[in-house]
Amino acid sequence: KFERGSFSLGADTGWDTGFTEIVPRGFTKYYGGLGRINYQVLENLGIYAGAEYRQNQYPTNEQDSIYGYNPADDRTYTGKCGLNYRFYRWFSVDLSYTYRQRFSDSPEDEFTDNRFMLRLNAAKPFRW
């Protein structure tokens, strides 16, 4: 943390399920890393930015090799930035932009995604 904001770095690894994909791939081993920064410009106005990296390694077995199916590993890069404004006491609005690009050994699994989001939040603080 610093005077008006915070910075964080992280890494993760684990297993993800691919059962909701069009072609179910089962469990996928992944590795990733991220960095984020938040900064409070004014009392009610904040900005943030972040970047993430994820690498998927899809499983193969003997049957896959026999039938010629070799799932391509992929790498996904994500960048996000935005600003949020708190007004009144329990309300805030958030405007963000996300850019995501996946590179893969298989060209049909590659994509680029640009996303803008405007979100209105309402939250009442709860005290024990």
Side-chain angles (χ1 to χ4, degrees):
K1 290 190 171 203
F2 51 94
E3 188 177 337
R4 295 172 77 176
S6 64
F7 177 75
S8 61
L9 290 173
D12 61 345
T13 185
W15 294 90
D16 192 7
T17 59
F19 298 123
T20 59
E21 297 178 6
I22 294 172
V23 177
R25 300 184 192 202
F27 290 101
T28 302
K29 181 79 172 164
Y30 70 89
Y31 306 92
L34 61 94
R36 293 186 181 134
I37 187 165
N38 296 309
Y39 184 72
Q40 202 67 29
V41 179
L42 300 171
E43 182 180 355
N44 293 329
L45 179 67
I47 60 174
Y48 58 90
E52 295 181 25
Y53 169 77
R54 179 171 166 150
Q55 179 177 349
N56 292 323
Q57 293 181 343
Y58 299 104
T60 57
N61 57 34
E62 289 180 26
Q63 284 184 331
D64 290 337
S65 300
I66 292 169
Y67 294 116
Y69 176 69
N70 185 15
D73 294 342
D74 56 47
R75 298 161 318 283
T76 306
Y77 298 89
T78 305
K80 184 174 186 176
C81 62
L83 56 96
N84 51 38
Y85 178 72
R86 194 179 81 204
F87 58 97
Y88 297 117
R89 188 172 169 180
W90 302 330
F91 298 96
S92 66
V93 64
D94 185 270
L95 177 64
S96 66
Y97 168 71
T98 303
Y99 175 82
R100 181 172 291 128
Q101 187 166 13
R102 176 178 286 172
F103 297 98
S104 178
D105 298 336
S106 173
E108 61 239 13
D109 291 335
E110 294 186 339
F111 67 86
T112 300
D113 183 28
N114 290 287
R115 186 174 301 187
F116 288 93
M117 184 179 292
L118 178 64
R119 187 171 47 192
L120 177 65
N121 301 306
K124 181 180 179 193
F126 179 77
R127 297 182 193 214
W128 291 90

